[in-house]
Amino acid sequence: MGVIIQKFGGTSVKNTERILEVAKKIVESKKMGNSIVAVLSAQGGYTDILLEKAHKISKTPKKRELDVLLSTGEQISIALLAMAIEELGESAVSFTATQLGIKTCSNHNCAQILDIDSKKIKQALEEGNVVVVAGFQGVDLHGNITTLGRGGSDTTAVALGVTLGAKEVEIYTDVDGIYSADPRVVKNAKKINRIAYSEMIEMAGNGAKVLHSRSVELACKYNIKIHLRSSYSWTKGSIIKGEDKMEKEVIRGITHSKNLSKITLRDTPHRLADVISTLSNEGYNIDIITHDFDPERGATISCILKQEILEKAFEILREKYPKNRKNLVHIPNLGKVSVIGIGVKSKGVAAQVFKVLSENNISIEMVSSSDINISCIIHQKDLEKAVSLLHERLIEEAK
Ligand code: ADP
Ligand code: ASP
Ligand code: MG
């Protein structure tokens, strides 16, 4: 049998009891004759605790030092799991990314995997061990510890799948599949048995944090299936794979993301390229950008950013464009609701989305759309209501 990659998220290893359950699951798979590489996240909530500790010391900790700190969470879980597997009578060996050689670029806090040295893993597997790998972390070419961005252990798992030639990567979590909306928000959300990479990339990139979007991009590039399933049972979960040619055009899901804000620069003589590069040179990711040009008044440029960088980004623009100060405004506490699926390009879907929101007095701050996504920026207080209403109209009533 080939190698199976099994990734367990923070909720799946949150305490001793859960670690023992995960160990049992792995040993069961191993006893069926499989070679197992387990990838682990930090115990649930632990990465947040580490971040809080850092921010008690400094408001702007160096990204390099944050990575040294944040990577410790995964180191704890791999050691504990390896011990638990040994207790069950199987041999196991744990590795951090530095020990294994999971090489990344030097972009601290959001590094990309460049290469994984498979020698150590293969040798440990040949010796009969379960190999337990720390997710989320890497090492750059100068030996510095890096991390891949929040939720990044999924990406470690898929990257290991690519390196070891696995056909499928199993991602175990606290839900039994991908749902048509976050099941914590929409109680009638439906489980999706199979979903195309393109739709899952769009869902994950627009707030469905059940998978790290880069893990799905990687799986798509190397044509590896992802089986997302529950760590609490053996029920079949959701399969993420290439498109089905016969698939009918459907709305797959409604996703949402919180803690966004909008900055608008009105009637400005400055060019879009200058304004946006002022922000991106600071390393800020911009979600949606709109640009309206009026030959007499100049341009109106709006962009959506994460709330946590709003103050800093606003200050940077005020300093850069002092003459435009009165035309620079911001709106905090926004969220994004997105309708995702091949079916969004069907006639009338966009109109229905706007109708549902307007009938319920939910005002829209900004809209963006593509072939498989219509996203509306709305006030955060309306977000969960908007998700439920759109789910009801476009998914439940569409049956
Ligand atoms: P893990 O700790 O296993 O990595 P995450 O917390 O990252 O788990 O992801 C699982 C959570 O993702 C679920 O508890 C669920 O609330 C949330 N989620 C958001 N959108 C969806 C969706 N469309 N389908 C399933 N789960 C979703
Ligand atoms: N521990 C990291 C986080 O909380 C990585 C992960 O869970 O995938 O974001
Ligand atoms: Mg996760």
Side-chain angles (χ1 to χ4, degrees):
M1 283 234 186
V3 178
I4 298 188
I5 316 288
Q6 298 187 327
K7 180 257 169 179
F8 296 89
T11 40
S12 304
V13 292
K14 67 181 176 213
N15 51 36
T16 310
E17 194 194 329
R18 291 299 310 153
I19 289 178
L20 292 171
E21 285 304 316
V22 165
K24 276 192 210 150
K25 229 176 199 334
I26 291 173
V27 167
E28 234 176 284
S29 303
K30 173 104 185 359
K31 290 221 158 98
M32 285 184 221
N34 300 303
S35 295
I36 309 288
V37 175
V39 177
L40 292 203
S41 292
Q43 296 186 275
Y46 196 77
T47 309
D48 290 325
I49 293 172
L50 292 173
L51 266 175
E52 270 168 38
K53 280 185 196 286
H55 288 125
K56 274 188 191 150
I57 303 271
S58 160
K59 265 194 177 167
T60 50
K62 265 178 83 180
K63 289 183 171 183
R64 180 191 182 280
E65 301 315 323
L66 260 187
D67 279 349
V68 174
L69 180 71
L70 295 191
S71 62
T72 60
E74 273 66 15
Q75 189 166 337
I76 295 175
S77 10
I78 55 169
L80 293 175
L81 181 72
M83 291 173 198
I85 294 172
E86 292 269 340
E87 279 299 305
L88 296 175
E90 287 288 343
S91 42
V93 57
S94 68
F95 291 111
T96 64
T98 306
Q99 288 174 314
L100 262 193
I102 301 186
K103 305 214 182 65
T104 69
C105 65
S106 302
N107 190 6
H108 284 289
N109 304 175
C110 198
Q112 290 197 317
I113 298 178
L114 303 175
D115 179 46
I116 301 181
D117 185 352
S118 62
K119 267 200 308 286
K120 270 197 185 158
I121 304 184
K122 284 185 175 155
Q123 193 188 330
L125 288 174
E126 270 162 29
E127 287 164 4
N129 294 293
V130 171
V131 175
V132 186
V133 180
F136 176 56
Q137 51 179 261
V139 58
D140 78 359
L141 301 178
H142 312 286
N144 296 302
I145 294 175
T146 56
T147 62
L148 311 182
R150 297 305 304 268
S153 301
D154 298 332
T155 299
T156 307
V158 175
L160 279 165
V162 173
T163 303
L164 299 170
K167 288 206 170 58
E168 186 175 296
V169 171
E170 296 181 342
I171 303 224
Y172 289 86
T173 184
D174 61 347
V175 280
D176 65 354
I178 311 290
Y179 278 73
S180 54
D182 186 341
R184 289 188 210 222
V185 173
V186 177
K187 72 172 187 325
N188 289 333
K190 305 265 176 305
K191 184 167 157 186
I192 304 169
N193 293 325
R194 286 178 310 160
I195 179 166
Y197 293 125
S198 55
E199 291 175 315
M200 194 60 227
I201 290 169
E202 210 66 25
M203 284 185 66
N206 285 286
K209 70 158 195 157
V210 64
L211 276 173
H212 196 228
S213 59
R214 275 162 45 201
S215 69
V216 193
E217 284 164 17
L218 202 59
C220 175
K221 186 167 167 196
Y222 290 94
N223 201 21
I224 293 182
K225 275 191 224 158
I226 297 179
H227 183 179
L228 184 120
R229 59 197 306 193
S230 168
S231 65
Y232 293 76
S233 71
W234 281 111
T235 324
K236 192 165 191 291
S238 301
I239 301 290
I240 299 121
K241 61 184 193 65
E243 335 259 309
D244 269 338
K245 291 215 170 58
M246 302 298 287
E247 207 160 31
K248 63 175 194 209
E249 295 194 344
V250 289
I251 306 291
R252 272 291 175 225
I254 314 291
T255 62
H256 67 286
S257 36
K258 294 183 185 167
N259 302 326
L260 301 174
S261 56
K262 174 175 154 182
I263 293 186
T264 300
L265 186 58
R266 274 196 224 109
D267 305 337
T268 171
H270 300 290
R271 288 190 310 189
L272 179 65
D274 296 334
V275 176
I276 298 305
S277 39
T278 303
L279 294 174
S280 47
N281 289 345
E282 293 290 322
Y284 294 155
N285 275 332
I286 301 164
D287 189 335
I288 303 174
I289 300 168
T290 58
H291 177 249
D292 273 325
F293 184 70
D294 180 312
E296 270 152 39
R297 299 167 61 136
T300 292
I301 297 167
S302 292
C303 56
I304 299 295
L305 307 154
K306 286 211 169 110
Q307 180 93 11
E308 69 208 36
I309 56 174
L310 171 68
E311 271 178 41
K312 192 86 198 296
F314 195 65
E315 208 37 56
I316 287 166
L317 291 177
R318 273 164 66 92
E319 273 169 28
K320 177 94 197 249
Y321 307 117
K323 289 192 187 140
N324 263 152
R325 277 188 177 192
K326 67 175 188 331
N327 286 344
L328 186 65
V329 292
H330 68 81
I331 306 179
N333 303 323
L334 298 174
K336 179 168 72 171
V337 59
S338 306
V339 178
I340 312 276
I342 301 167
V344 301
K345 60 180 182 228
S346 318
K347 215 168 127 204
V349 172
Q352 275 191 73
V353 171
F354 305 140
K355 190 159 179 263
V356 168
L357 297 179
S358 109
E359 277 170 0
N360 290 281
N361 300 320
I362 298 175
S363 58
I364 301 174
E365 283 293 329
M366 210 191 254
V367 173
S368 82
S369 66
S370 73
D371 267 5
I372 56 170
N373 174 355
I374 300 173
S375 289
C376 299
I377 299 293
I378 61 178
H379 288 265
Q380 187 152 297
K381 65 175 174 39
D382 297 324
L383 197 55
E384 294 199 352
K385 183 172 157 200
V387 175
S388 298
L389 289 165
L390 289 170
H391 189 272
E392 206 177 303
R393 183 72 59 88
L394 296 171
I395 295 183
E396 292 167 51
E397 289 173 11
K399 294 272 139 150

